[in-house]
PDB file of all heavy atoms in Angstrom:
ATOM      1  N   ILE A1060      28.603  -3.921  31.427  1.00 89.00           N
ATOM      2  CA  ILE A1060      29.233  -3.530  30.156  1.00 89.00           C
ATOM      3  C   ILE A1060      29.009  -4.595  29.100  1.00 89.00           C
ATOM      4  O   ILE A1060      28.617  -4.299  27.956  1.00 89.00           O
ATOM      5  CB  ILE A1060      30.738  -3.283  30.363  1.00 89.00           C
ATOM      6  CG1 ILE A1060      30.945  -2.043  31.246  1.00 89.00           C
ATOM      7  CG2 ILE A1060      31.446  -3.114  29.024  1.00 89.00           C
ATOM      8  CD1 ILE A1060      32.371  -1.880  31.727  1.00 89.00           C
ATOM      9  N   LEU A1061      29.216  -5.841  29.444  1.00 87.00           N
ATOM     10  CA  LEU A1061      29.037  -6.925  28.483  1.00 87.00           C
ATOM     11  C   LEU A1061      27.582  -7.049  28.049  1.00 87.00           C
ATOM     12  O   LEU A1061      27.287  -7.334  26.874  1.00 87.00           O
ATOM     13  CB  LEU A1061      29.534  -8.240  29.078  1.00 87.00           C
ATOM     14  CG  LEU A1061      31.049  -8.332  29.304  1.00 87.00           C
ATOM     15  CD1 LEU A1061      31.401  -9.602  30.071  1.00 87.00           C
ATOM     16  CD2 LEU A1061      31.791  -8.304  27.962  1.00 87.00           C
ATOM     17  N   ALA A1062      26.661  -6.830  28.978  1.00 85.00           N
ATOM     18  CA  ALA A1062      25.230  -6.898  28.635  1.00 85.00           C
ATOM     19  C   ALA A1062      24.855  -5.786  27.666  1.00 85.00           C
ATOM     20  O   ALA A1062      24.060  -5.990  26.740  1.00 85.00           O
ATOM     21  CB  ALA A1062      24.389  -6.810  29.903  1.00 85.00           C
ATOM     22  N   SER A1063      25.423  -4.591  27.866  1.00 86.00           N
ATOM     23  CA  SER A1063      25.138  -3.474  26.970  1.00 86.00           C
ATOM     24  C   SER A1063      25.649  -3.748  25.564  1.00 86.00           C
ATOM     25  O   SER A1063      24.983  -3.445  24.570  1.00 86.00           O
ATOM     26  CB  SER A1063      25.768  -2.188  27.511  1.00 86.00           C
ATOM     27  OG  SER A1063      25.197  -1.821  28.746  1.00 86.00           O
ATOM     28  N   VAL A1064      26.850  -4.318  25.486  1.00 85.00           N
ATOM     29  CA  VAL A1064      27.416  -4.653  24.172  1.00 85.00           C
ATOM     30  C   VAL A1064      26.567  -5.715  23.486  1.00 85.00           C
ATOM     31  O   VAL A1064      26.275  -5.631  22.281  1.00 85.00           O
ATOM     32  CB  VAL A1064      28.870  -5.144  24.328  1.00 85.00           C
ATOM     33  CG1 VAL A1064      29.388  -5.674  22.996  1.00 85.00           C
ATOM     34  CG2 VAL A1064      29.749  -4.012  24.834  1.00 85.00           C
ATOM     35  N   GLU A1065      26.137  -6.709  24.255  1.00 81.00           N
ATOM     36  CA  GLU A1065      25.303  -7.772  23.677  1.00 81.00           C
ATOM     37  C   GLU A1065      23.980  -7.202  23.172  1.00 81.00           C
ATOM     38  O   GLU A1065      23.500  -7.571  22.088  1.00 81.00           O
ATOM     39  CB  GLU A1065      25.050  -8.851  24.734  1.00 81.00           C
ATOM     40  CG  GLU A1065      24.256 -10.029  24.189  1.00 81.00           C
ATOM     41  CD  GLU A1065      24.045 -11.107  25.238  1.00 81.00           C
ATOM     42  OE1 GLU A1065      24.622 -10.987  26.333  1.00 81.00           O
ATOM     43  OE2 GLU A1065      23.303 -12.067  24.957  1.00 81.00           O
ATOM     44  N   ALA A1066      23.384  -6.293  23.945  1.00 73.00           N
ATOM     45  CA  ALA A1066      22.124  -5.682  23.532  1.00 73.00           C
ATOM     46  C   ALA A1066      22.289  -4.868  22.255  1.00 73.00           C
ATOM     47  O   ALA A1066      21.434  -4.892  21.365  1.00 73.00           O
ATOM     48  CB  ALA A1066      21.577  -4.803  24.663  1.00 73.00           C
ATOM     49  N   ALA A1067      23.404  -4.141  22.166  1.00 77.00           N
ATOM     50  CA  ALA A1067      23.665  -3.343  20.967  1.00 77.00           C
ATOM     51  C   ALA A1067      23.845  -4.242  19.748  1.00 77.00           C
ATOM     52  O   ALA A1067      23.364  -3.939  18.653  1.00 77.00           O
ATOM     53  CB  ALA A1067      24.906  -2.474  21.177  1.00 77.00           C
ATOM     54  N   GLU A1068      24.538  -5.363  19.912  1.00 75.00           N
ATOM     55  CA  GLU A1068      24.737  -6.298  18.807  1.00 75.00           C
ATOM     56  C   GLU A1068      23.412  -6.906  18.369  1.00 75.00           C
ATOM     57  O   GLU A1068      23.152  -7.080  17.170  1.00 75.00           O
ATOM     58  CB  GLU A1068      25.713  -7.397  19.222  1.00 75.00           C
ATOM     59  CG  GLU A1068      27.150  -6.905  19.378  1.00 75.00           C
ATOM     60  CD  GLU A1068      28.077  -7.982  19.905  1.00 75.00           C
ATOM     61  OE1 GLU A1068      27.558  -8.980  20.466  1.00 75.00           O
ATOM     62  OE2 GLU A1068      29.298  -7.842  19.764  1.00 75.00           O
ATOM     63  N   GLU A1069      22.548  -7.228  19.338  1.00 66.00           N
ATOM     64  CA  GLU A1069      21.241  -7.784  19.007  1.00 66.00           C
ATOM     65  C   GLU A1069      20.395  -6.769  18.249  1.00 66.00           C
ATOM     66  O   GLU A1069      19.666  -7.112  17.309  1.00 66.00           O
ATOM     67  CB  GLU A1069      20.519  -8.221  20.288  1.00 66.00           C
ATOM     68  CG  GLU A1069      21.114  -9.460  20.929  1.00 66.00           C
ATOM     69  CD  GLU A1069      20.420  -9.817  22.226  1.00 66.00           C
ATOM     70  OE1 GLU A1069      19.535  -9.045  22.654  1.00 66.00           O
ATOM     71  OE2 GLU A1069      20.740 -10.861  22.806  1.00 66.00           O
ATOM     72  N   GLN A1070      20.499  -5.505  18.650  1.00 66.00           N
ATOM     73  CA  GLN A1070      19.745  -4.457  17.977  1.00 66.00           C
ATOM     74  C   GLN A1070      20.186  -4.311  16.530  1.00 66.00           C
ATOM     75  O   GLN A1070      19.378  -4.146  15.614  1.00 66.00           O
ATOM     76  CB  GLN A1070      19.907  -3.126  18.706  1.00 66.00           C
ATOM     77  CG  GLN A1070      19.017  -2.017  18.174  1.00 66.00           C
ATOM     78  CD  GLN A1070      19.161  -0.756  18.991  1.00 66.00           C
ATOM     79  OE1 GLN A1070      20.159  -0.560  19.678  1.00 66.00           O
ATOM     80  NE2 GLN A1070      18.170   0.098  18.910  1.00 66.00           N
ATOM     81  N   MET A1071      21.493  -4.368  16.286  1.00 67.00           N
ATOM     82  CA  MET A1071      21.994  -4.291  14.928  1.00 67.00           C
ATOM     83  C   MET A1071      21.572  -5.511  14.109  1.00 67.00           C
ATOM     84  O   MET A1071      21.296  -5.407  12.911  1.00 67.00           O
ATOM     85  CB  MET A1071      23.525  -4.184  14.933  1.00 67.00           C
ATOM     86  CG  MET A1071      24.059  -2.871  15.496  1.00 67.00           C
ATOM     87  SD  MET A1071      23.449  -1.403  14.579  1.00 67.00           S
ATOM     88  CE  MET A1071      22.114  -0.851  15.675  1.00 67.00           C
ATOM     89  N   ALA A1072      21.497  -6.657  14.755  1.00 65.00           N
ATOM     90  CA  ALA A1072      21.058  -7.862  14.054  1.00 65.00           C
ATOM     91  C   ALA A1072      19.603  -7.719  13.615  1.00 65.00           C
ATOM     92  O   ALA A1072      19.227  -8.121  12.511  1.00 65.00           O
ATOM     93  CB  ALA A1072      21.221  -9.086  14.959  1.00 65.00           C
ATOM     94  N   VAL A1073      18.782  -7.110  14.469  1.00 61.00           N
ATOM     95  CA  VAL A1073      17.383  -6.875  14.122  1.00 61.00           C
ATOM     96  C   VAL A1073      17.285  -5.932  12.927  1.00 61.00           C
ATOM     97  O   VAL A1073      16.472  -6.115  12.020  1.00 61.00           O
ATOM     98  CB  VAL A1073      16.613  -6.297  15.330  1.00 61.00           C
ATOM     99  CG1 VAL A1073      15.244  -5.780  14.911  1.00 61.00           C
ATOM    100  CG2 VAL A1073      16.462  -7.354  16.413  1.00 61.00           C
ATOM    101  N   CYS A1074      18.136  -4.897  12.924  1.00 60.00           N
ATOM    102  CA  CYS A1074      18.106  -3.931  11.823  1.00 60.00           C
ATOM    103  C   CYS A1074      18.464  -4.575  10.497  1.00 60.00           C
ATOM    104  O   CYS A1074      18.048  -4.101   9.436  1.00 60.00           O
ATOM    105  CB  CYS A1074      19.056  -2.768  12.114  1.00 60.00           C
ATOM    106  SG  CYS A1074      18.497  -1.686  13.443  1.00 60.00           S
ATOM    107  N   ARG A1075      19.273  -5.629  10.523  1.00 65.00           N
ATOM    108  CA  ARG A1075      19.667  -6.288   9.292  1.00 65.00           C
ATOM    109  C   ARG A1075      18.592  -7.229   8.769  1.00 65.00           C
ATOM    110  O   ARG A1075      18.650  -7.692   7.641  1.00 65.00           O
ATOM    111  CB  ARG A1075      20.974  -7.074   9.506  1.00 65.00           C
ATOM    112  CG  ARG A1075      22.192  -6.190   9.711  1.00 65.00           C
ATOM    113  CD  ARG A1075      23.459  -7.003   9.599  1.00 65.00           C
ATOM    114  NE  ARG A1075      23.549  -8.035  10.609  1.00 65.00           N
ATOM    115  CZ  ARG A1075      24.100  -7.872  11.814  1.00 65.00           C
ATOM    116  NH1 ARG A1075      24.609  -6.706  12.143  1.00 65.00           N
ATOM    117  NH2 ARG A1075      24.155  -8.858  12.668  1.00 65.00           N
ATOM    118  N   GLN A1076      17.618  -7.538   9.611  1.00 72.00           N
ATOM    119  CA  GLN A1076      16.554  -8.426   9.199  1.00 72.00           C
ATOM    120  C   GLN A1076      15.655  -7.738   8.176  1.00 72.00           C
ATOM    121  O   GLN A1076      15.606  -6.524   8.082  1.00 72.00           O
ATOM    122  CB  GLN A1076      15.719  -8.856  10.409  1.00 72.00           C
ATOM    123  CG  GLN A1076      16.479  -9.719  11.398  1.00 72.00           C
ATOM    124  CD  GLN A1076      15.651 -10.005  12.630  1.00 72.00           C
ATOM    125  OE1 GLN A1076      14.494  -9.631  12.719  1.00 72.00           O
ATOM    126  NE2 GLN A1076      16.260 -10.659  13.597  1.00 72.00           N
ATOM    127  N   LYS A1077      14.935  -8.526   7.449  1.00 77.00           N
ATOM    128  CA  LYS A1077      14.036  -7.997   6.438  1.00 77.00           C
ATOM    129  C   LYS A1077      12.710  -7.652   7.087  1.00 77.00           C
ATOM    130  O   LYS A1077      12.030  -8.531   7.619  1.00 77.00           O
ATOM    131  CB  LYS A1077      13.835  -9.050   5.340  1.00 77.00           C
ATOM    132  CG  LYS A1077      13.287  -8.493   4.047  1.00 77.00           C
ATOM    133  CD  LYS A1077      13.306  -9.551   2.978  1.00 77.00           C
ATOM    134  CE  LYS A1077      12.858  -8.972   1.645  1.00 77.00           C
ATOM    135  NZ  LYS A1077      12.876 -10.008   0.588  1.00 77.00           N
ATOM    136  N   PRO A1078      12.315  -6.364   7.083  1.00 82.00           N
ATOM    137  CA  PRO A1078      11.051  -5.990   7.723  1.00 82.00           C
ATOM    138  C   PRO A1078       9.879  -6.636   7.007  1.00 82.00           C
ATOM    139  O   PRO A1078       9.822  -6.655   5.772  1.00 82.00           O
ATOM    140  CB  PRO A1078      11.028  -4.468   7.600  1.00 82.00           C
ATOM    141  CG  PRO A1078      11.923  -4.153   6.458  1.00 82.00           C
ATOM    142  CD  PRO A1078      12.991  -5.208   6.477  1.00 82.00           C
ATOM    143  N   ALA A1079       8.947  -7.156   7.778  1.00 82.00           N
ATOM    144  CA  ALA A1079       7.810  -7.857   7.190  1.00 82.00           C
ATOM    145  C   ALA A1079       6.618  -7.764   8.132  1.00 82.00           C
ATOM    146  O   ALA A1079       6.744  -7.394   9.293  1.00 82.00           O
ATOM    147  CB  ALA A1079       8.172  -9.313   6.918  1.00 82.00           C
ATOM    148  N   GLY A1080       5.453  -8.114   7.597  1.00 84.00           N
ATOM    149  CA  GLY A1080       4.245  -8.155   8.407  1.00 84.00           C
ATOM    150  C   GLY A1080       3.331  -6.971   8.139  1.00 84.00           C
ATOM    151  O   GLY A1080       3.620  -6.093   7.336  1.00 84.00           O
ATOM    152  N   ARG A1081       2.221  -6.967   8.844  1.00 84.00           N
ATOM    153  CA  ARG A1081       1.209  -5.939   8.634  1.00 84.00           C
ATOM    154  C   ARG A1081       1.537  -4.678   9.425  1.00 84.00           C
ATOM    155  O   ARG A1081       1.908  -4.736  10.597  1.00 84.00           O
ATOM    156  CB  ARG A1081      -0.168  -6.455   9.052  1.00 84.00           C
ATOM    157  CG  ARG A1081      -1.300  -5.459   8.848  1.00 84.00           C
ATOM    158  CD  ARG A1081      -2.643  -6.070   9.147  1.00 84.00           C
ATOM    159  NE  ARG A1081      -2.910  -7.202   8.259  1.00 84.00           N
ATOM    160  CZ  ARG A1081      -4.015  -7.945   8.312  1.00 84.00           C
ATOM    161  NH1 ARG A1081      -4.945  -7.673   9.213  1.00 84.00           N
ATOM    162  NH2 ARG A1081      -4.179  -8.941   7.471  1.00 84.00           N
ATOM    163  N   LEU A1082       1.395  -3.540   8.780  1.00 88.00           N
ATOM    164  CA  LEU A1082       1.608  -2.246   9.420  1.00 88.00           C
ATOM    165  C   LEU A1082       0.348  -1.416   9.221  1.00 88.00           C
ATOM    166  O   LEU A1082       0.008  -1.039   8.104  1.00 88.00           O
ATOM    167  CB  LEU A1082       2.813  -1.532   8.821  1.00 88.00           C
ATOM    168  CG  LEU A1082       3.149  -0.165   9.427  1.00 88.00           C
ATOM    169  CD1 LEU A1082       3.547  -0.307  10.886  1.00 88.00           C
ATOM    170  CD2 LEU A1082       4.263   0.513   8.645  1.00 88.00           C
ATOM    171  N   ARG A1083      -0.346  -1.145  10.328  1.00 88.00           N
ATOM    172  CA  ARG A1083      -1.603  -0.403  10.272  1.00 88.00           C
ATOM    173  C   ARG A1083      -1.316   1.083  10.496  1.00 88.00           C
ATOM    174  O   ARG A1083      -0.809   1.469  11.542  1.00 88.00           O
ATOM    175  CB  ARG A1083      -2.576  -0.923  11.314  1.00 88.00           C
ATOM    176  CG  ARG A1083      -2.926  -2.414  11.152  1.00 88.00           C
ATOM    177  CD  ARG A1083      -3.821  -2.892  12.281  1.00 88.00           C
ATOM    178  NE  ARG A1083      -4.179  -4.289  12.130  1.00 88.00           N
ATOM    179  CZ  ARG A1083      -3.483  -5.305  12.615  1.00 88.00           C
ATOM    180  NH1 ARG A1083      -2.359  -5.067  13.286  1.00 88.00           N
ATOM    181  NH2 ARG A1083      -3.878  -6.543  12.445  1.00 88.00           N
ATOM    182  N   VAL A1084      -1.663   1.892   9.498  1.00 91.00           N
ATOM    183  CA  VAL A1084      -1.402   3.327   9.537  1.00 91.00           C
ATOM    184  C   VAL A1084      -2.722   4.080   9.482  1.00 91.00           C
ATOM    185  O   VAL A1084      -3.592   3.779   8.657  1.00 91.00           O
ATOM    186  CB  VAL A1084      -0.513   3.763   8.351  1.00 91.00           C
ATOM    187  CG1 VAL A1084      -0.231   5.258   8.413  1.00 91.00           C
ATOM    188  CG2 VAL A1084       0.791   2.967   8.349  1.00 91.00           C
ATOM    189  N   ASN A1085      -2.858   5.058  10.365  1.00 89.00           N
ATOM    190  CA  ASN A1085      -4.072   5.876  10.406  1.00 89.00           C
ATOM    191  C   ASN A1085      -3.704   7.334  10.187  1.00 89.00           C
ATOM    192  O   ASN A1085      -2.717   7.819  10.736  1.00 89.00           O
ATOM    193  CB  ASN A1085      -4.793   5.713  11.744  1.00 89.00           C
ATOM    194  CG  ASN A1085      -6.113   6.462  11.779  1.00 89.00           C
ATOM    195  OD1 ASN A1085      -6.144   7.673  11.944  1.00 89.00           O
ATOM    196  ND2 ASN A1085      -7.201   5.737  11.639  1.00 89.00           N
ATOM    197  N   ALA A1086      -4.485   8.033   9.374  1.00 91.00           N
ATOM    198  CA  ALA A1086      -4.264   9.458   9.139  1.00 91.00           C
ATOM    199  C   ALA A1086      -5.568  10.090   8.694  1.00 91.00           C
ATOM    200  O   ALA A1086      -6.460   9.409   8.175  1.00 91.00           O
ATOM    201  CB  ALA A1086      -3.181   9.674   8.082  1.00 91.00           C
ATOM    202  N   ALA A1087      -5.680  11.390   8.894  1.00 88.00           N
ATOM    203  CA  ALA A1087      -6.834  12.111   8.369  1.00 88.00           C
ATOM    204  C   ALA A1087      -6.828  11.975   6.848  1.00 88.00           C
ATOM    205  O   ALA A1087      -5.771  11.886   6.222  1.00 88.00           O
ATOM    206  CB  ALA A1087      -6.778  13.577   8.785  1.00 88.00           C
ATOM    207  N   SER A1088      -8.019  11.963   6.260  1.00 90.00           N
ATOM    208  CA  SER A1088      -8.124  11.679   4.824  1.00 90.00           C
ATOM    209  C   SER A1088      -7.286  12.612   3.949  1.00 90.00           C
ATOM    210  O   SER A1088      -6.688  12.141   2.968  1.00 90.00           O
ATOM    211  CB  SER A1088      -9.588  11.701   4.387  1.00 90.00           C
ATOM    212  OG  SER A1088     -10.211  12.920   4.725  1.00 90.00           O
ATOM    213  N   PRO A1089      -7.173  13.931   4.220  1.00 92.00           N
ATOM    214  CA  PRO A1089      -6.327  14.758   3.348  1.00 92.00           C
ATOM    215  C   PRO A1089      -4.878  14.310   3.327  1.00 92.00           C
ATOM    216  O   PRO A1089      -4.251  14.235   2.267  1.00 92.00           O
ATOM    217  CB  PRO A1089      -6.471  16.166   3.949  1.00 92.00           C
ATOM    218  CG  PRO A1089      -7.761  16.144   4.665  1.00 92.00           C
ATOM    219  CD  PRO A1089      -7.864  14.753   5.225  1.00 92.00           C
ATOM    220  N   PHE A1090      -4.321  14.011   4.492  1.00 93.00           N
ATOM    221  CA  PHE A1090      -2.925  13.582   4.550  1.00 93.00           C
ATOM    222  C   PHE A1090      -2.771  12.222   3.896  1.00 93.00           C
ATOM    223  O   PHE A1090      -1.789  11.964   3.196  1.00 93.00           O
ATOM    224  CB  PHE A1090      -2.439  13.547   6.001  1.00 93.00           C
ATOM    225  CG  PHE A1090      -0.946  13.485   6.127  1.00 93.00           C
ATOM    226  CD1 PHE A1090      -0.194  14.650   6.180  1.00 93.00           C
ATOM    227  CD2 PHE A1090      -0.282  12.271   6.194  1.00 93.00           C
ATOM    228  CE1 PHE A1090       1.186  14.606   6.278  1.00 93.00           C
ATOM    229  CE2 PHE A1090       1.097  12.209   6.293  1.00 93.00           C
ATOM    230  CZ  PHE A1090       1.830  13.382   6.338  1.00 93.00           C
ATOM    231  N   MET A1091      -3.741  11.346   4.127  1.00 94.00           N
ATOM    232  CA  MET A1091      -3.677  10.021   3.519  1.00 94.00           C
ATOM    233  C   MET A1091      -3.698  10.125   1.996  1.00 94.00           C
ATOM    234  O   MET A1091      -2.885   9.498   1.301  1.00 94.00           O
ATOM    235  CB  MET A1091      -4.857   9.167   3.995  1.00 94.00           C
ATOM    236  CG  MET A1091      -4.829   7.739   3.507  1.00 94.00           C
ATOM    237  SD  MET A1091      -3.475   6.780   4.228  1.00 94.00           S
ATOM    238  CE  MET A1091      -4.122   6.499   5.886  1.00 94.00           C
ATOM    239  N   LEU A1092      -4.606  10.941   1.462  1.00 94.00           N
ATOM    240  CA  LEU A1092      -4.779  11.031   0.011  1.00 94.00           C
ATOM    241  C   LEU A1092      -3.649  11.784  -0.679  1.00 94.00           C
ATOM    242  O   LEU A1092      -3.199  11.393  -1.758  1.00 94.00           O
ATOM    243  CB  LEU A1092      -6.118  11.709  -0.303  1.00 94.00           C
ATOM    244  CG  LEU A1092      -7.375  10.910   0.059  1.00 94.00           C
ATOM    245  CD1 LEU A1092      -8.613  11.777  -0.108  1.00 94.00           C
ATOM    246  CD2 LEU A1092      -7.488   9.650  -0.797  1.00 94.00           C
ATOM    247  N   HIS A1093      -3.193  12.878  -0.066  1.00 93.00           N
ATOM    248  CA  HIS A1093      -2.249  13.757  -0.749  1.00 93.00           C
ATOM    249  C   HIS A1093      -0.783  13.465  -0.431  1.00 93.00           C
ATOM    250  O   HIS A1093       0.090  13.887  -1.183  1.00 93.00           O
ATOM    251  CB  HIS A1093      -2.561  15.214  -0.413  1.00 93.00           C
ATOM    252  CG  HIS A1093      -3.884  15.665  -0.927  1.00 93.00           C
ATOM    253  ND1 HIS A1093      -4.102  16.013  -2.234  1.00 93.00           N
ATOM    254  CD2 HIS A1093      -5.090  15.778  -0.301  1.00 93.00           C
ATOM    255  CE1 HIS A1093      -5.372  16.348  -2.401  1.00 93.00           C
ATOM    256  NE2 HIS A1093      -5.990  16.213  -1.249  1.00 93.00           N
ATOM    257  N   VAL A1094      -0.522  12.769   0.663  1.00 93.00           N
ATOM    258  CA  VAL A1094       0.873  12.506   1.036  1.00 93.00           C
ATOM    259  C   VAL A1094       1.192  11.017   1.009  1.00 93.00           C
ATOM    260  O   VAL A1094       2.118  10.583   0.320  1.00 93.00           O
ATOM    261  CB  VAL A1094       1.190  13.098   2.429  1.00 93.00           C
ATOM    262  CG1 VAL A1094       2.635  12.784   2.808  1.00 93.00           C
ATOM    263  CG2 VAL A1094       0.962  14.602   2.439  1.00 93.00           C
ATOM    264  N   ILE A1095       0.428  10.222   1.743  1.00 94.00           N
ATOM    265  CA  ILE A1095       0.787   8.807   1.890  1.00 94.00           C
ATOM    266  C   ILE A1095       0.486   8.006   0.627  1.00 94.00           C
ATOM    267  O   ILE A1095       1.343   7.260   0.136  1.00 94.00           O
ATOM    268  CB  ILE A1095       0.075   8.198   3.115  1.00 94.00           C
ATOM    269  CG1 ILE A1095       0.590   8.863   4.398  1.00 94.00           C
ATOM    270  CG2 ILE A1095       0.306   6.689   3.173  1.00 94.00           C
ATOM    271  CD1 ILE A1095      -0.040   8.358   5.658  1.00 94.00           C
ATOM    272  N   VAL A1096      -0.715   8.146   0.088  1.00 95.00           N
ATOM    273  CA  VAL A1096      -1.100   7.334  -1.076  1.00 95.00           C
ATOM    274  C   VAL A1096      -0.129   7.488  -2.246  1.00 95.00           C
ATOM    275  O   VAL A1096       0.272   6.484  -2.856  1.00 95.00           O
ATOM    276  CB  VAL A1096      -2.548   7.662  -1.500  1.00 95.00           C
ATOM    277  CG1 VAL A1096      -2.858   7.055  -2.862  1.00 95.00           C
ATOM    278  CG2 VAL A1096      -3.532   7.125  -0.457  1.00 95.00           C
ATOM    279  N   PRO A1097       0.315   8.698  -2.602  1.00 94.00           N
ATOM    280  CA  PRO A1097       1.262   8.813  -3.719  1.00 94.00           C
ATOM    281  C   PRO A1097       2.610   8.136  -3.464  1.00 94.00           C
ATOM    282  O   PRO A1097       3.361   7.894  -4.411  1.00 94.00           O
ATOM    283  CB  PRO A1097       1.446  10.336  -3.873  1.00 94.00           C
ATOM    284  CG  PRO A1097       0.207  10.925  -3.290  1.00 94.00           C
ATOM    285  CD  PRO A1097      -0.140  10.026  -2.146  1.00 94.00           C
ATOM    286  N   LEU A1098       2.916   7.839  -2.191  1.00 95.00           N
ATOM    287  CA  LEU A1098       4.209   7.234  -1.867  1.00 95.00           C
ATOM    288  C   LEU A1098       4.136   5.715  -1.726  1.00 95.00           C
ATOM    289  O   LEU A1098       5.174   5.054  -1.617  1.00 95.00           O
ATOM    290  CB  LEU A1098       4.741   7.826  -0.556  1.00 95.00           C
ATOM    291  CG  LEU A1098       5.001   9.332  -0.530  1.00 95.00           C
ATOM    292  CD1 LEU A1098       5.416   9.769   0.867  1.00 95.00           C
ATOM    293  CD2 LEU A1098       6.064   9.709  -1.544  1.00 95.00           C
ATOM    294  N   VAL A1099       2.934   5.170  -1.721  1.00 95.00           N
ATOM    295  CA  VAL A1099       2.764   3.747  -1.419  1.00 95.00           C
ATOM    296  C   VAL A1099       3.491   2.861  -2.419  1.00 95.00           C
ATOM    297  O   VAL A1099       4.157   1.890  -2.036  1.00 95.00           O
ATOM    298  CB  VAL A1099       1.265   3.395  -1.367  1.00 95.00           C
ATOM    299  CG1 VAL A1099       1.061   1.878  -1.412  1.00 95.00           C
ATOM    300  CG2 VAL A1099       0.633   3.958  -0.090  1.00 95.00           C
ATOM    301  N   ASP A1100       3.388   3.162  -3.704  1.00 96.00           N
ATOM    302  CA  ASP A1100       3.997   2.296  -4.718  1.00 96.00           C
ATOM    303  C   ASP A1100       5.503   2.197  -4.522  1.00 96.00           C
ATOM    304  O   ASP A1100       6.080   1.103  -4.542  1.00 96.00           O
ATOM    305  CB  ASP A1100       3.662   2.829  -6.114  1.00 96.00           C
ATOM    306  CG  ASP A1100       4.144   1.882  -7.204  1.00 96.00           C
ATOM    307  OD1 ASP A1100       3.809   0.681  -7.137  1.00 96.00           O
ATOM    308  OD2 ASP A1100       4.862   2.334  -8.109  1.00 96.00           O
ATOM    309  N   ASP A1101       6.160   3.323  -4.298  1.00 95.00           N
ATOM    310  CA  ASP A1101       7.612   3.311  -4.101  1.00 95.00           C
ATOM    311  C   ASP A1101       7.976   2.618  -2.796  1.00 95.00           C
ATOM    312  O   ASP A1101       8.955   1.862  -2.734  1.00 95.00           O
ATOM    313  CB  ASP A1101       8.141   4.745  -4.106  1.00 95.00           C
ATOM    314  CG  ASP A1101       9.659   4.786  -3.980  1.00 95.00           C
ATOM    315  OD1 ASP A1101      10.342   4.245  -4.869  1.00 95.00           O
ATOM    316  OD2 ASP A1101      10.163   5.344  -2.980  1.00 95.00           O
TER     317      ASP A1101
END
């Protein structure tokens, strides 16, 4: 029980961290051009 609570607290601590680093995304060109690219700036 204590280990589960500790794990849950650690998970919440990770969620509060600032996401950073490289994220490699792959998609077929239509989806990339018409869906992902228009959202990149925001």
Side-chain angles (χ1 to χ4, degrees):
I1060 293 169
L1061 292 172
S1063 296
V1064 172
E1065 183 179 353
E1068 290 175 342
E1069 288 177 356
Q1070 187 176 21
M1071 292 301 100
V1073 168
C1074 290
R1075 290 193 298 270
Q1076 294 175 4
K1077 198 172 184 180
R1081 181 174 299 179
L1082 181 64
R1083 301 176 179 89
V1084 181
N1085 185 282
S1088 55
F1090 196 89
M1091 184 68 76
L1092 292 171
H1093 295 281
V1094 179
I1095 295 180
V1096 168
L1098 299 176
V1099 165
D1100 186 52
D1101 183 61

